[in-house]
């Protein structure tokens, strides 16, 4: 595939505009106080709903979603869309039940919540865990899959593509932190959705052979009906990836609650809201965007089964479908793909910097003797941590992720070792006052040990079922240990007694609409 001059021009304009916009929103107003940690890591706690919703999706939808999930659509079919559609339902729960507690208690990082609820040891332990996960699994996956797409479309060396993507994502948010990321994400998401819809329209048009997109969709469902089932049955070759009803009532809930409710680089946007009402409006906006994502991401991968049946790897599906685009539009969709990669990479970098600076460096005495200059020093440390994180990700992306057949499924299964324990720790911390640090640590350890044991000795157990089973055992263990051990005095400073779970009319109406749409979707494609 070759980019025409007009395509290169479109991509260049995107780079200039998004970098310029990021610097503009990052500017310090004349006479304003120097930027502090709240400004840099939480956008001065002043984000509007549209920025929260757009930034949630921009942080989530990246190369691992576009390239990886499209590849899973190629291999598995529409069933992979459950990750998107069930996430919309999960967001409603996060908005109604989790955010009120976090915002009432002025939480700015997830490790901070754990310390205030359980004690200091678990804060440090989980901060180290999340840093390792974000750098060596998530960040590497984002830029690796992004480099695949850039190489396939633009024809440049993949290692060079890794460096360009990582460096640009770092530089455009380095000055302004979360504010630069969140306030530019509305542009990124607009490009992402527009680009994906263009690809979907052209692939369906190609299948329709001049009769239109609806005819193309009918042709696609007729030629490969096995790719249009949301709930896979036993015996399906991909049942191990998406084991039947577990996507509705089983292990997928564990993954989704952990990701959308307790994941720093996702929840950080909502924690930066100007109010709980604004945060919940942003959540509803994000939920509706999640309903749209399978059309943008999964459908092109399914269409590639008919239009490009002999791909070497499923992850080549989305870049291959981009070949259908005429000059100009190719540049626009390519810019949209880069936008998604850059936005998600920048979000991850910012959260890595936040956790390292606030949960490790500052917590253990970093900058403590600098007096009034401490805040400026911590912002500098955050920027330095961001630089180190992206360098590590660039250097380790090929050996860690390069050999994976379906990177999206690789990420889900790897994180599935930890998510049952994380979900237990947070759910008990939020809603059961008797839970203590010993019980939380027991749940975390059991999650890893049991997940490894089940994978080693019960390899036929689907990883999603494994997550559900490990969650139940870890939950029982955490409750038991909490009941038989005493909590240390004054370790729990989280106020849940005075939290209101009442939601506004806009949230309630939006939530009902999301639920009704989900019922219709699953009823249609059961």
């Amino acid at each position: 595939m070759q980019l025409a001059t007009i395509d290169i021009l479109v991509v260049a304009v995107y780079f200039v505009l998004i970098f310029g916009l990021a610097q503009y929103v990052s500017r310090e107003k004349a006479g304003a106080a120097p930027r502090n940690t709240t400004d840099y890591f939480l956008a001065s706690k002043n984000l509007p709903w549209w920025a929260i919703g757009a930034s949630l999706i921009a942080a989530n939808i990246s190369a691992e979603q576009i390239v990886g999930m499209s590849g899973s659509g190629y291999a598995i079919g529409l069933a992979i869309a459950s990750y998107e559609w069930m996430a919309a339902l999960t967001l409603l729960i996060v908005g109604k039940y989790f955010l009120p507690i976090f915002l009432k208690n002025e939480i700015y990082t997830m490790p901070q919540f754990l310390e205030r609820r359980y004690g200091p040891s678990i804060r440090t332990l989980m901060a180290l865990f999340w840093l390792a996960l974000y750098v060596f699994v998530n960040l590497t996956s984002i830029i690796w899959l992004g480099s695949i797409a850039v190489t396939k479309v633009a024809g440049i060396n993949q290692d060079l593509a890794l460096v360009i993507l990582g460096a640009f994502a770092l530089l455009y948010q380095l000055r302004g932190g979360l504010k630069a990321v969140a306030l530019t994400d509305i542009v990124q998401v607009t490009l992402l959705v527009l680009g994906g819809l263009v690809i979907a329209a052209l692939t369906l048009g190609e299948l329709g052979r001049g009769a239109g997109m609806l005819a193309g969709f009918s042709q696609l469902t007729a030629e490969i009906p096995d790719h249009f089932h949301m709930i896979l049955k036993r015996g399906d070759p991909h049942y191990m990836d998406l084991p039947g009803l577990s996507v509705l009532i089983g292990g997928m809930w564990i993954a989704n609650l952990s990701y959308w409710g307790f994941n720093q680089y996702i929840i950080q946007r909502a924690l930066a809201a100007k109010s709980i009402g604004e945060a919940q409006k942003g959540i509803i906006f994000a939920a509706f965007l999640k309903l749209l994502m399978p059309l943008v991401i999964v459908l092109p991968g399914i269409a590639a089964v008919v239009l490009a049946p002999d791909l070497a790897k499923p992850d080549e599906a989305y870049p291959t479908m981009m070949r259908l685009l005429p000059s100009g539009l190719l540049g626009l969709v390519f810019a949209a793909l880069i936008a998604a990669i850059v936005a998600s990479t920048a979000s991850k970098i910012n959260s890595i910097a936040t956790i390292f600076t606030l949960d490790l460096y500052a917590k253990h005495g970093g900058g403590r003797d600098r007096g009034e200059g401490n805040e400026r020093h911590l912002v500098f440390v955050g920027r330095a941590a961001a630089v180190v994180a992206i360098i590590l990700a660039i250097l380790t992306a090929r050996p860690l992720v390069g050999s994976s057949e379906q990177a999206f499924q690789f990420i889900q299964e790897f994180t599935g070792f930890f998510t049952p324990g994380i979900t237990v720790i947070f759910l008990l911390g939020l809603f059961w006052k008797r839970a203590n640090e010993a019980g939380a640590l027991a749940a975390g350890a059991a999650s890893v040990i049991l997940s490894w044991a089940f994978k080693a000795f019960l390899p036929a157990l689907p990883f999603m079922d494994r997550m559900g089973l490990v969650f139940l055992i870890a939950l029982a263990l955490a409750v038991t240990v909490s009941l038989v051990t005493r909590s240390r005095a004054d370790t729990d400073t989280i106020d849940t007694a005075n939290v209101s779970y009442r939601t506004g009319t806009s949230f309630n109406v939006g939530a009902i609409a999301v639920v009704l749409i989900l019922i219709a979707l699953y009823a249609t494609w059961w």
Side-chain angles (χ1 to χ4, degrees):
M1 191 185 306
Q2 293 293 322
L3 292 176
T5 302
I6 184 64
D7 298 318
I8 296 173
L9 180 61
V10 169
V11 174
V13 168
Y14 156 73
F15 271 100
V16 171
L17 287 180
I18 203 67
F19 186 82
L21 179 59
Q23 302 316 301
Y24 176 75
V25 300
S26 302
R27 74 195 188 284
E28 295 184 19
K29 296 179 181 178
R35 184 172 284 122
N36 59 32
T37 51
T38 301
D39 297 329
Y40 191 76
F41 297 117
L42 284 179
S44 305
K45 290 188 72 69
N46 199 37
L47 287 185
W49 67 268
W50 52 266
I52 294 167
S55 195
L56 281 168
I57 299 304
N60 166 239
I61 302 295
S62 182
E64 65 192 85
Q65 252 41 42
I66 296 178
V67 178
M69 189 171 279
S70 187
S72 292
Y74 183 93
I76 299 172
L78 190 62
I80 199 68
S82 282
Y83 278 104
E84 300 299 296
W85 289 339
M86 294 305 293
L89 190 56
T90 306
L91 279 166
L92 303 183
I93 296 171
V94 171
K96 184 168 179 65
Y97 295 108
F98 298 175
L99 281 183
I101 297 176
F102 291 146
L103 292 175
K104 170 72 174 178
N105 289 276
E106 299 183 344
I107 299 299
Y108 49 81
T109 73
M110 292 297 97
Q112 178 213 10
F113 169 82
L114 294 177
E115 179 182 40
R116 288 189 53 190
R117 179 59 183 83
Y118 293 115
S121 299
I122 197 168
R123 177 179 189 170
T124 300
L125 179 66
M126 293 306 297
L128 290 169
F129 160 72
W130 271 312
L131 286 176
L133 181 71
Y134 287 172
V135 174
F136 297 112
V137 177
N138 298 126
L139 199 53
T140 53
S141 300
I142 292 169
I143 60 172
W144 174 259
L145 288 173
S147 69
I148 290 175
V150 170
T151 298
K152 198 159 186 71
V153 174
I156 67 174
N157 178 273
Q158 189 172 354
D159 291 322
L160 178 60
L162 277 171
V163 173
I164 291 173
L165 291 173
F168 184 74
L170 171 71
L171 293 173
Y172 105 92
Q173 61 86 50
L174 196 60
R175 181 183 173 199
L178 182 61
K179 185 177 182 180
V181 174
L183 294 184
T184 55
D185 277 346
I186 192 67
V187 178
Q188 311 275 43
V189 166
T190 301
L191 267 179
L192 163 65
V193 172
L194 181 61
L197 290 176
V198 167
I199 288 242
L202 287 176
T203 53
L204 293 178
E206 183 80 7
L207 289 166
R209 298 178 178 86
M213 291 185 292
L214 290 178
F217 186 75
S218 296
Q219 179 68 23
L220 187 61
T221 56
E223 287 197 35
I224 47 172
D226 57 308
H227 272 58
F228 286 90
H229 295 293
M230 290 302 303
I231 305 300
L232 303 183
K233 295 180 173 60
R234 288 187 181 275
D236 188 284
H238 299 287
Y239 184 83
M240 287 288 290
D241 295 321
L242 292 164
L245 288 176
S246 287
V247 301
L248 296 181
I249 58 175
M252 184 171 281
W253 277 105
I254 311 306
N256 276 345
L257 288 172
S258 175
Y259 182 86
W260 292 101
F262 315 127
N263 187 341
Q264 178 68 27
Y265 93 107
I266 292 296
I267 202 69
Q268 188 169 341
R269 282 107 189 91
L271 299 181
K274 60 177 67 174
S275 67
I276 180 62
E278 206 74 3
Q280 289 170 335
K281 289 177 186 175
I283 288 286
I284 286 293
F285 180 34
F288 278 108
L289 289 174
K290 290 302 284 183
L291 295 178
L292 183 64
M293 283 303 115
L295 180 61
V296 173
I297 298 171
V298 180
L299 190 57
I302 297 175
V305 176
V306 176
L307 297 174
D310 299 318
L311 295 180
K313 282 188 173 184
D315 285 340
E316 295 179 0
Y318 194 88
T320 301
M321 290 300 94
M322 291 177 68
R323 293 176 180 173
L324 299 174
L325 298 169
S327 296
L329 273 180
L330 175 58
L332 175 67
V333 174
F334 188 42
L337 182 58
I338 294 175
I341 298 163
V342 166
S344 192
T345 304
S347 297
K348 189 71 74 177
I349 292 170
N350 185 260
S351 292
I352 290 167
T354 302
I355 290 177
F356 176 82
T357 305
L358 301 183
D359 292 309
L360 293 179
Y361 185 82
K363 187 63 183 174
H364 294 283
R368 185 173 295 166
D369 299 326
R370 294 176 179 265
E372 293 181 358
N374 187 43
E375 288 288 304
R376 291 194 299 274
H377 174 68
L378 291 178
V379 170
F380 171 79
V381 169
R383 288 169 173 156
V387 173
V388 172
I390 196 61
I391 291 173
L392 286 173
I394 290 170
L395 293 175
T396 58
R398 184 180 291 275
L400 291 179
V401 190
S403 60
S404 175
E405 182 71 18
Q406 287 187 57
F408 181 77
Q409 290 300 122
F410 160 76
I411 296 165
Q412 302 307 315
E413 179 152 8
F414 182 86
T415 54
F417 275 63
F418 307 95
T419 49
I422 291 171
T423 306
V424 168
I425 290 168
F426 275 95
L427 287 179
L428 291 182
L430 287 168
F431 303 114
W432 190 46
K433 279 296 185 180
R434 185 65 179 81
N436 61 23
E437 188 173 36
L441 292 172
S447 179
V448 177
I449 295 170
L450 290 173
S451 294
W452 175 84
F454 282 132
K455 184 172 177 61
F457 299 108
L458 292 173
L461 182 67
F463 85 92
M464 202 171 287
D465 289 343
R466 184 183 74 216
M467 280 197 301
L469 184 57
V470 171
F471 170 80
L472 293 175
I473 297 173
L475 177 63
L477 182 62
V479 169
T480 302
V481 172
S482 294
L483 289 173
V484 299
T485 58
R486 297 178 62 182
S487 300
R488 289 183 296 177
D490 302 323
T491 55
D492 183 2
T493 62
I494 295 295
D495 176 15
T496 56
N498 298 305
V499 173
S500 172
Y501 299 103
R502 291 177 62 87
T503 47
T505 302
S506 59
F507 182 91
N508 295 336
V509 172
I512 292 170
V514 168
V515 171
L516 292 177
I517 291 170
L518 283 171
I519 291 172
L521 288 170
Y522 276 92
T524 301
W525 302 108
W526 185 269

